[in-house]
Amino acid sequence: MIEAIRARVAEKLKELDGVIGLRRSPEGVAPYLFHTEEELAELVLEPRYPMSSVVRLLQKRHPAARFGVVARGCDVRALVEMAKRNQVDPERLYIIGFTCTAEEAEACHCADPAPNVTGWPQAEVIGTPVAAGSPNPMVAEYAQMPRAERWAFWQQQFKKCIKCYGCRNICPVCFCESCALEDPLWVEPGVMAPPFPMYHMIKAMHMSNRCVACRQCELTCPAHIPLTVLYDLIRQDVENLMGYVPGADLEALPPVPLTLADAPIDLDVE
Amino acid sequence: MVASHVLTGKERGAKIIVIDPREIQMSRLADIYLRPWPGTDVAWLNGIMNVIINEGLADTAFVEERTEGFDELRQVVMEYPPEKVEQIAGIPADGLRAAARMYAQTKPAAILYAMGITQHTTGTDNVKTCANLAMLTGNVGVPGSGVNPLRGQNNVQGACDLGGLPNVYPGYQVVTIPDVKAKYEAAWGVEGMSGKLGLTVTEMIEAADKGDVRAIYVMGENPMLSDPDLNHARHCLEALDFLVVQDIFMTETAALADVVLPGASYLEKDGTFTNTDRRIQRVRKAVEAPGQAKADWEIICDLARAMGAPGFEFASPAAVMEEVVVTTPIYGGVSYDRLEAVEGLQWPVPTADHPGTPYLHKGKFSRGVGKFNPVQYQAAAELPDEEYPLILTTGRMMFHFHTGTMTRRTEKLEQEAPEPYVEIHPDDAQRIGLNGGKRVRVSSRRGAIEVAVRVTSTIRPGVVFIPFHYVEGPANALTHAALDPIAGIPEFKVCAVRVEPV
Amino acid sequence: MDYKNVRTTCIYCGCGCTLNVQVADGEVVGILPCPEHPISRGSLCIKGWNAAEFATHPDRLRVPLIRREGGFEEASWEEALALVAERLGAIRDDSGPDSIGFFTSAKCTNEENYLLQKLARAVIKTNNVDHCARL
Ligand code: SF4
Ligand code: SF4
């Protein structure tokens, strides 16, 4: 697989201003902008980094450049959601998608371990899709709990939060310059653990129509809070009630308006 | 991030005991939380050992095989039954018993502490007492056990390892031993080095006042906010004939200097740091320094050249490390090539093929058998009285680092915690008559500051807390410069203050 | 048009978490955690996540400064270092090596700490070397 990807990236480098991927240098693995074929011996696929955020950053810095990106399924879903919110320009991004392995799909409880590039102007996928991973058992366990217990469960979990903002910073679909989590109107600053449930509720509501189930928030949480249990349930609700699956379709508009102009009610906005 | 590993432990079934005058976040997740008076650590630690010995919970095999001095220890701790400890430390006797049982019966058990144990006039005694407790229960030299000091500043460990101390060369080789001095004179190609102990930071500042020290060269420190009894420290530094400060910002200390040299930040230079678990890790240059600023290592080499001194012709920090390893046995096997690995290297790493040492005292103590050093409780140097009825304890908070030179210039951190404050218990607040007032004046025998007030039951009644990061409300204007007689560490954790509404 | 990550160690506490410093065209543009590192394991605290911002603060010192009548004046490196060398030399000759003290730093690198104590011990010949470990 990796050889096939390297060959395709080498090909694409000829026409693009660079390809974003993971590079293993002597220091270790991290995102990198590849320019030459020689560097591609160092292209790798693991561990996970928020590739869509790197794409956004580089596209903003270089408004005319055309980049490529080596992306797994959740990276592509994140790019799709970012594109809908004008944070990534699909016209200037070539996606070289690759399928996750069965082990990876299982470890992530991933429902959709292959990139879905339908509708993306220029893209290809390398590899054969594997079956979905089994669902996260904690979600089912949680769903069994009576309401009062659920509250107590989250109360206990969020007591551990050290307000690192890591779950937000790593999120591949978070991008606002001014974040409600840092607005003293909503969340009292400097309190540790951050006020329950406001801090986490705001985050969850803002994720409701865009969480792409990449699990990076949970992986980066120093307090080991099972954040994706919360987000999986919200995703289920949004899918069941509104028929929306984030990242699945570049054309589908999110059920929650993206701008005030889209709002289905009359707003007296000056 | 150490706490994150503690949480991993808890998820795997480990028990957590928190003993802290302030109800910290970890205490809400703890199995047992006890709240002593600041400055009574020896008393309650002895009390825990009293229970362990009396209830037959000591690891007798370990004590017999690997330690000496048990009888002396027993004698001392027998003077600390839990009821007496309750009188001294304010910890309920039953709580202390429960903690003692849990600690002794759970194997392995680790003791983790930070400055709460060390910043006392009895800091050395406190550390010895922790070591006694670990040895008594056989919690030494096994993974997951031991006495684990958590260091506040990122490279305190490295600064000590590399000889930034008045009594030792790099690798803790004592300056007063003639052979060691001779070894360094040979290595550095000089003669006539000093064989006497040098002065500590606090002693140098004191000596400046008397005129015995006339010049001080400061690299990246800010004693004008971090030292105890600031008014006095300022007076002393002003008495100097010559003060040089090398830093990245115009700190409170740099503002007093005769010459200020612009250094590079960690993002602008190469090097290594050694973290709290003795792990040597790389610092890598990411960008160029602003303006004419230069890396501190370059500045020192340039200065040596200006003084006409040979031995500082280094092309890079890697070359400096090559010289370090020759004379520093604990770093003997370190090289930048080996440090490429993400996990770094944990010293002692004596040779190039040695894998490093994840934990110390495995199978054997450095000195052979472990010696119990029993100590008696001694009260803090300054206790509350009628005039100054509350105990002030100082410390850090999550959002800022040390004197705030860097974090207070970071918007995302400053917006979380923009101003100094004092934490006070509701009972004390009521007694003082704060009546919802937002600001208070806190004074001690050394100075007074005005800060915001936070009324909270997470602090013990009778105790107030102020973080020391803020120049506009410097906690160290109040603190007491009384020192631990051995370590020379000031008693930042206990002094007497008065709080009044303004 | 360059983008890379430079792996380094956090400066804000003794945990020593690994940081991936994102650098684009010679400018720091952000920080990412490092999943491969055994201590930080892909996590950081709020200080680590924000450990780059201060470095580009306008207050950064950019030139050597010498105090003269009426305050600090900018100076060249040659001038500043010559002055330091001369004054330290004079004070040592006058009042002996132990009349000079050195504060090394818990925030500087191992190599820098080594060099400064070497300067104190081998050039000035005093053991008056310490840092704020106790503070
Ligand atoms: S990553 Fe975890 S600890 Fe950090 S803010 Fe999010 S929930 Fe809290
Ligand atoms: S990220 Fe936080 S816990 Fe980690 S070294 Fe930096 S300050 Fe310490």
Side-chain angles (χ1 to χ4, degrees):
Chain A
M1 166 106 94
I2 184 69
E3 283 313 324
I5 296 173
R6 284 179 186 150
R8 284 305 294 152
V9 175
E11 201 50 45
K12 282 288 155 192
L13 275 176
K14 293 178 189 146
E15 57 191 68
L16 296 167
D17 294 311
V19 172
I20 299 158
L22 297 178
R23 167 171 170 247
R24 173 176 294 288
S25 70
E27 302 171 16
V29 181
Y32 184 70
L33 181 62
F34 289 88
H35 287 293
T36 66
E37 197 176 335
E38 294 71 61
E39 294 171 326
L40 292 177
E42 296 180 334
L43 174 73
V44 295
L45 305 177
E46 279 192 318
R48 311 270 300 285
Y49 279 94
M51 303 308 281
S52 60
S53 309
V54 179
V55 170
R56 171 178 181 268
L57 181 105
L58 293 182
Q59 281 199 338
K60 291 227 179 270
R61 283 185 77 87
H62 305 287
R66 291 186 66 246
F67 296 119
V69 64
V70 179
R72 53 174 82 229
C74 49
D75 295 329
V76 173
R77 295 198 293 273
L79 287 165
V80 165
E81 288 303 304
M82 289 284 244
K84 286 176 194 173
R85 290 163 177 84
N86 289 332
Q87 298 303 312
V88 163
D89 179 359
E91 299 299 333
R92 297 192 289 124
L93 187 70
Y94 187 91
I95 296 179
I96 298 166
F98 67 93
T99 54
C100 290
T101 63
E103 296 77 55
E104 286 169 335
E106 188 52 36
C108 289
H109 304 294
C110 183
D112 201 2
N116 175 357
V117 293
T118 330
W120 200 271
Q122 288 186 293
E124 63 186 287
V125 176
I126 298 171
T128 327
V130 299
S134 65
N136 183 355
M138 272 188 87
V139 174
E141 228 172 89
Y142 176 85
Q144 298 297 309
M145 286 182 196
R147 212 160 267 275
E149 240 172 78
R150 293 185 184 191
W151 185 260
F153 173 81
W154 288 118
Q155 216 162 8
Q156 190 60 31
Q157 288 295 341
F158 288 131
K159 257 189 208 170
K160 299 187 289 185
C161 174
I162 60 163
K163 209 178 187 192
C164 67
Y165 293 95
C167 46
R168 176 200 68 184
N169 297 349
I170 203 92
C171 178
V173 292
C174 263
F175 54 81
C176 299
E177 298 290 328
S178 91
C179 173
L181 297 181
E182 292 170 26
D183 184 345
L185 195 65
W186 293 108
V187 181
E188 187 186 343
V191 178
M192 195 72 88
F196 176 82
M198 247 348 204
Y199 183 84
H200 300 281
M201 221 43 123
I202 292 172
K203 173 90 186 349
M205 290 329 273
H206 285 203
M207 299 320 298
S208 64
N209 64 349
R210 60 172 116 169
C211 170
V212 292
C214 70
R215 321 224 167 258
Q216 295 209 48
C217 52
E218 197 167 281
L219 291 175
T220 203
C221 177
H224 311 171
I225 299 171
L227 294 164
T228 59
V229 171
L230 188 58
Y231 298 154
D232 276 355
L233 289 161
I234 296 176
R235 284 164 52 84
Q236 279 174 19
D237 283 349
V238 171
E239 184 174 357
N240 294 339
L241 299 172
M242 307 179 204
Y244 187 73
V245 180
D249 179 354
L250 189 60
E251 300 302 320
L253 283 181
V256 178
L258 290 177
T259 67
L260 285 181
D262 296 344
I265 44 170
D266 276 340
L267 278 172
D268 197 9
V269 193
E270 311 228 334
Chain B
M1 289 309 121
V2 169
S4 170
H5 287 257
V6 173
L7 284 179
T8 306
K10 188 171 168 75
E11 284 151 20
R12 295 189 191 137
K15 299 267 189 285
I16 302 179
I17 303 172
V18 174
I19 303 180
D20 194 311
R22 299 172 64 215
E23 189 183 322
I24 53 171
Q25 202 173 352
M26 184 65 78
S27 52
R28 290 170 221 161
L29 306 169
D31 297 276
I32 295 179
Y33 167 53
L34 303 173
R35 185 186 273 188
W37 286 103
T40 61
D41 304 303
V42 167
W44 60 257
L45 282 160
N46 278 344
I48 287 182
M49 288 188 273
N50 176 295
V51 176
I52 289 175
I53 294 175
N54 278 334
E55 300 194 1
L57 301 173
D59 185 337
T60 38
F62 183 91
V63 170
E64 266 166 37
E65 278 163 35
R66 299 207 29 207
T67 68
E68 61 188 27
F70 176 72
D71 291 334
E72 291 84 343
L73 176 79
R74 169 203 282 275
Q75 245 174 27
V76 170
V77 304
M78 280 311 126
E79 295 171 36
Y80 294 84
E83 280 69 23
K84 178 171 162 196
V85 172
E86 180 166 349
Q87 297 298 314
I88 302 173
I91 293 177
D94 288 342
L96 194 78
R97 284 201 182 87
R101 288 178 196 133
M102 187 179 279
Y103 173 77
Q105 290 172 337
T106 315
K107 295 270 163 88
I111 300 173
L112 280 72
Y113 66 77
M115 304 314 231
I117 284 289
T118 52
Q119 286 176 340
H120 293 281
T121 43
T122 59
T124 307
D125 286 353
N126 290 349
V127 172
K128 282 183 187 163
T129 312
C130 288
N132 290 343
L133 175 56
M135 289 196 294
L136 182 64
T137 49
N139 276 306
V140 180
V142 237
S145 74
V147 178
N148 305 269
L150 306 179
R151 318 224 52 171
Q153 298 172 67
N154 58 318
N155 202 29
V156 176
Q157 187 68 52
C160 295
D161 295 351
L162 275 301
L165 292 171
N167 58 336
V168 287
Y169 296 112
Y172 306 97
Q173 306 175 75
V174 178
V175 294
T176 49
I177 299 177
D179 285 353
V180 176
K181 180 169 90 108
K183 167 177 138 179
Y184 272 95
E185 286 177 335
W188 289 340
V190 294
E191 282 173 4
M193 285 185 1
S194 167
K196 319 198 289 242
L197 288 183
L199 303 177
T200 65
V201 163
T202 334
E203 287 164 351
M204 281 187 248
I205 290 179
E206 227 22 77
D209 188 28
K210 297 200 200 83
D212 294 342
V213 163
R214 292 179 52 206
I216 291 184
Y217 190 107
V218 179
M219 170 172 82
E221 297 269 356
N222 189 11
M224 272 309 302
L225 204 49
S226 61
D227 274 33
D229 196 354
L230 287 183
N231 294 334
H232 180 60
R234 162 180 289 272
H235 167 81
C236 296
L237 288 180
E238 279 172 349
L240 285 170
D241 287 336
F242 193 56
L243 175 64
V244 185
V245 175
Q246 192 169 310
D247 211 312
I248 60 174
F249 289 112
M250 184 57 78
T251 61
E252 291 72 27
T253 308
L256 301 177
D258 296 284
V259 179
V260 180
L261 303 173
S265 81
Y266 80 115
L267 295 169
E268 299 142 8
K269 63 191 181 189
D270 284 307
T272 56
F273 289 149
T274 305
N275 78 348
T276 194
D277 63 348
R278 294 169 282 103
R279 196 183 294 270
I280 307 158
Q281 307 189 105
R282 276 299 311 276
V283 175
R284 291 186 182 86
K285 179 172 176 172
V287 289
E288 295 298 329
Q292 299 175 28
K294 275 192 205 177
D296 297 276
W297 67 268
E298 276 184 280
I299 301 177
I300 302 166
C301 293
D302 289 350
L303 175 60
R305 218 163 294 137
M307 300 180 78
F312 289 81
E313 300 78 15
F314 298 100
S316 66
V320 179
M321 187 54 90
E322 280 165 23
E323 179 175 309
V324 169
V325 301
V326 177
T327 50
T328 314
I330 56 173
Y331 276 55
V334 175
S335 68
Y336 272 40
D337 279 347
R338 292 189 72 188
L339 292 177
E340 284 293 355
V342 65
E343 65 276 7
L345 276 173
Q346 282 175 287
W347 69 256
V349 45
T351 55
D353 51 9
H354 189 282
T357 312
Y359 54 95
L360 301 172
H361 312 306
K362 182 183 178 184
K364 182 161 145 290
F365 287 96
S366 339
R367 71 182 287 277
V369 286
K371 186 171 181 346
F372 286 111
N373 282 299
V375 268
Q376 295 282 5
Y377 162 71
Q378 270 178 26
E382 188 184 63
L383 292 175
D385 53 22
E386 245 167 56
E387 205 183 340
Y388 297 98
L390 296 166
I391 293 182
L392 166 69
T393 190
T394 67
R396 293 162 207 274
M397 58 197 297
M398 176 74 90
F399 302 109
H400 285 300
F401 174 68
H402 221 241
T403 63
T405 308
M406 297 177 286
T407 54
R408 299 212 57 207
R409 290 186 172 89
T410 303
E411 192 195 332
K412 296 241 182 269
L413 299 173
E414 184 67 358
Q415 74 187 10
E416 295 287 342
E419 60 164 3
Y421 61 88
V422 56
E423 283 181 1
I424 187 165
H425 192 273
D427 295 353
D428 293 324
Q430 200 186 12
R431 185 159 342 107
I432 295 161
L434 291 189
N435 299 329
K438 296 257 184 293
R439 293 186 71 76
V440 289
R441 182 182 163 81
V442 186
S443 36
S444 75
R445 289 190 173 80
R446 292 149 297 276
I449 58 174
E450 255 186 55
V451 289
V453 62
R454 283 194 193 173
V455 178
T456 167
S457 51
T458 58
I459 188 120
R460 196 178 211 297
V463 181
V464 295
F465 167 80
I466 305 179
F468 72 90
H469 311 292
Y470 298 91
V471 62
E472 66 273 35
N476 283 326
L478 309 172
T479 48
H480 194 21
L483 302 181
D484 176 280
I486 297 162
I489 195 166
E491 188 146 63
F492 289 121
K493 298 300 182 204
V494 190
C495 76
V497 295
R498 178 173 64 224
V499 177
E500 300 149 301
V502 286
Chain C
M1 213 177 282
D2 286 329
Y3 168 85
K4 62 177 179 180
N5 276 270
V6 178
R7 192 162 278 195
T8 194
T9 304
C10 179
I11 43 165
Y12 281 141
C13 87
C15 291
C17 297
T18 295
L19 307 177
N20 279 309
V21 178
Q22 303 186 80
V23 180
D25 314 308
E27 216 181 284
V28 175
V29 290
I31 283 181
L32 290 170
C34 174
E36 296 161 285
H37 184 238
I39 300 171
S40 46
R41 304 184 294 189
S43 304
L44 296 173
C45 83
I46 186 170
K47 293 192 291 299
W49 274 106
N50 293 288
E53 193 183 316
F54 77 87
T56 48
H57 195 281
D59 290 355
R60 277 293 298 274
L61 296 172
R62 292 157 181 275
V63 261
L65 301 170
I66 296 179
R67 180 182 301 281
R68 308 205 195 267
E69 299 295 320
F72 284 120
E73 273 175 33
E74 297 192 350
S76 71
W77 274 107
E78 291 68 40
E79 207 183 342
L81 290 176
L83 177 66
V84 175
E86 183 227 301
R87 295 286 286 134
L88 292 184
I91 291 173
R92 179 193 48 196
D93 294 346
D94 264 18
S95 312
D98 289 338
S99 63
I100 302 178
F102 290 83
F103 290 11
T104 63
S105 175
K107 294 134 200 135
C108 287
T109 64
N110 289 333
E111 291 76 3
E112 290 162 346
N113 277 286
Y114 175 83
L115 288 174
L116 191 59
Q117 63 89 35
K118 181 177 175 184
L119 185 82
R121 293 187 159 121
V123 181
I124 303 290
K125 302 202 165 70
T126 178
N127 284 319
N128 288 344
V129 179
D130 197 14
H131 67 285
C132 296
R134 302 169 178 84
L135 311 177

